[in-house]
Amino acid sequence: MTMIKIKLVKSLIGRPEIHRKTVKALGLRKIGQVVEKNDTPQIRGMIHQVDYMVEVID
């Protein structure tokens, strides 16, 4: 299974609660933090929901 790297690039302050929970579920806490996740449709959907706060690194 392929892996993707996800980086938090914007603050969670002032964001909707559901988006903050999604970012937390992805395992991101601090700006600049990078996590590696399996590339699944569920993870892609989570990234799509908060795409304005995260960046996918190739």
Side-chain angles (χ1 to χ4, degrees):
M1 179 156 298
T2 60
M3 302 290 278
I4 54 173
K5 291 183 181 179
I6 310 158
K7 180 179 182 179
L8 185 61
V9 294
K10 290 199 176 188
S11 172
L12 300 178
I13 296 170
R15 307 297 182 199
E17 182 69 23
I18 191 76
H19 292 187
R20 284 187 267 145
K21 286 182 178 180
T22 301
V23 169
K24 185 178 178 184
L26 284 169
L28 295 164
R29 294 186 335 239
K30 297 181 177 183
I31 295 175
Q33 182 181 4
V34 177
V35 294
E36 200 167 342
K37 297 284 182 186
N38 287 329
D39 191 3
T40 64
Q42 293 83 4
I43 296 293
R44 286 286 178 174
M46 293 168 77
I47 292 169
H48 180 71
Q49 184 179 38
V50 294
D51 61 355
Y52 63 96
M53 284 191 287
V54 298
E55 179 179 283
V56 176
I57 303 169
D58 291 331

